[in-house]
Amino acid sequence: MCEVVKGKSLKQLQGSVVQAAIFEAIKQGNVEFGYEMFKANPVLVSLTGENGKTMLQFAIECRQEKVYFFFYRLTRIAPDLLVTIDQFSNTLLHAAASLSPIAQLNHIQGAALQMQRELQWFKEIENIVPPKILEVVNVTDGMTARDLFTKNHKELAKEGERSMKETATSCTVAGALIITIMFTAAFTVPGGNNGNTGLPFFLDKKLFKVFIVSDALSLFSSTTSVMTFLGVLTSRYAEADFLESLPKKMIIGLFTLFFSIATMMIAFVSTLFIMLGENSWIVIPIILLASAPIVSFAWMQFPLLVEIFISTYGAGIFAKKGKPLVFSDFI
């Protein structure tokens, strides 16, 4: 195919099977095919698809970041790519305002993170287009890209709000239970108190100090978790909140809840050691059982916590855009 397109004019290639093949490659995220074709005939860069849509617009609509990176690097050779408008006055930003294909969204866990990824795409394109593009109104909807984004993502935002509130409600209940337990445990210490002094009998034991410290840490972290999740429940859930504010609260809430569960189990185990003695055969099996809640929480919730953290504070999918291409890259 590269041999066939050499020397062909844009008019000859427009509407041909070559055009269809390149746009299909963009849809599938196959950037290598496009690169080889453009090397064979650089005029292919100017091919347009349905309704005059450019390949860069199509790559953004399909949310194919590898193809987008390639065209972003190409903008040094062809800066007009950033200001192209199709037959319906849709800009690159209007393409970013469309809803991602279902296949792309399904790779992301939860509606809230899906909404965050959509906002990241929109912000990325907003940063690279000239300011005059921001207020362009398209013909089909009569909207700017920002208004179109709000319209297209209305249902996804609602689903993200619902899922975050469900998670926050469940975690708030768990955190409140831990607060109740650890607050009570602080005043019913193992071994009881001396009737004359009011001090605990095992005050000088190292394990008792471990119990007190872990009990306090569990109480404070679970209280922090509950307050954070209450903040999630009472948030306004504006579009911008999904980008960083809400994920940050979820990270803090999930981490402090996990920490409170872990320290609660440490307090429980140290109490057993104090009451039953270190040599009791029953202590070791109970310690192993006590680790089950920690492991189960880590298994079920830690992947979500890690994904939220990477998505919010990681390098992101746009960190590998690379340097702009020059003419020598096509020689």
Side-chain angles (χ1 to χ4, degrees), residues 6-302:
K6 283 181 179 178
K8 299 274 184 167
S9 67
L10 181 63
K11 187 176 180 179
Q12 290 174 304
L13 296 169
Q14 186 70 45
S16 67
V17 67
V18 174
Q19 177 209 38
I22 292 176
F23 273 83
E24 182 61 28
I26 292 173
K27 185 178 180 180
Q28 301 298 332
N30 188 341
V31 68
E32 295 80 10
F33 175 78
Y35 180 68
E36 293 300 325
M37 294 294 290
F38 298 151
K39 282 180 66 177
N41 191 343
V43 302
L44 285 168
V45 174
S46 301
L47 278 177
T48 56
E50 185 181 359
N51 301 321
K53 188 179 299 179
T54 66
M55 287 180 278
L56 179 53
Q57 279 179 294
F58 190 63
I60 294 169
E61 278 187 13
C62 296
R63 300 298 194 268
Q64 293 293 350
E65 59 266 19
K66 289 183 180 179
V67 184
Y68 164 71
F69 295 159
F70 171 76
F71 281 106
Y72 171 81
R73 296 173 65 203
L74 197 64
T75 54
R76 181 173 178 179
I77 300 174
D80 289 344
L81 288 173
L82 295 177
V83 294
T84 50
I85 297 176
D86 67 14
Q87 295 176 3
F88 296 109
S89 297
N90 288 301
T91 65
L92 295 184
L93 207 54
H94 283 93
S98 62
L99 189 64
S100 287
I102 297 299
Q104 294 295 106
L105 286 178
N106 287 340
H107 292 302
I108 305 169
Q109 182 179 352
L113 289 182
Q114 291 173 358
M115 185 66 184
Q116 183 189 46
R117 178 60 57 84
E118 292 289 272
L119 282 164
Q120 289 170 345
W121 266 100
F122 191 82
K123 289 291 184 183
E124 167 66 18
I125 307 304
E126 195 175 44
N127 289 334
I128 68 169
V129 297
K132 63 180 181 180
I133 295 295
L134 303 180
E135 299 303 322
V136 173
V137 176
N138 66 359
V139 174
T140 51
D141 302 285
M143 294 181 176
T144 63
R146 168 55 66 182
D147 294 334
L148 186 61
F149 182 91
T150 301
K151 175 187 173 183
N152 290 336
H153 294 81
K154 187 176 181 180
E155 293 302 319
L156 184 61
K158 287 182 179 178
E159 181 62 24
E161 178 181 350
R162 185 190 63 80
S163 64
M164 291 198 85
K165 282 186 174 180
E166 286 181 354
T167 302
T169 300
S170 302
C171 292
T172 300
V173 172
L177 288 172
I178 295 173
I179 292 172
T180 304
I181 294 168
M182 303 319 292
F183 187 84
T184 304
F187 296 99
T188 55
V189 294
N193 298 324
N194 189 314
N196 296 323
T197 63
L199 297 174
F201 284 112
F202 298 119
L203 184 60
D204 296 328
K205 274 183 166 279
K206 290 183 179 179
L207 283 173
F208 184 82
K209 293 176 182 177
V210 171
F211 163 77
I212 289 297
V213 171
S214 57
D215 182 275
L217 289 174
S218 181
L219 179 62
F220 299 152
S221 58
S222 58
T223 304
T224 303
S225 177
V226 168
M227 297 304 295
T228 304
F229 284 123
L230 285 175
V232 173
L233 290 172
T234 56
S235 292
R236 59 178 182 163
Y237 286 94
E239 282 179 5
D241 292 341
F242 285 95
L243 194 59
E244 188 172 332
S245 175
L246 289 170
K248 183 192 296 183
K249 290 176 182 178
M250 289 298 292
I251 291 170
I252 296 172
L254 287 171
F255 178 78
T256 51
L257 181 60
F258 173 77
F259 186 75
S260 68
I261 293 173
T263 48
M264 180 178 67
M265 290 298 103
I266 293 172
F268 173 72
V269 170
S270 60
T271 302
L272 284 181
F273 269 113
I274 293 171
M275 301 301 296
L276 302 177
E278 299 180 14
N279 298 321
S280 177
W281 65 270
I282 200 172
V283 171
I284 295 177
I286 292 179
I287 292 174
L288 295 175
L289 289 173
S291 64
I294 302 173
V295 173
S296 62
F297 185 88
W299 177 57
M300 290 184 289
Q301 298 296 335
F302 241 62

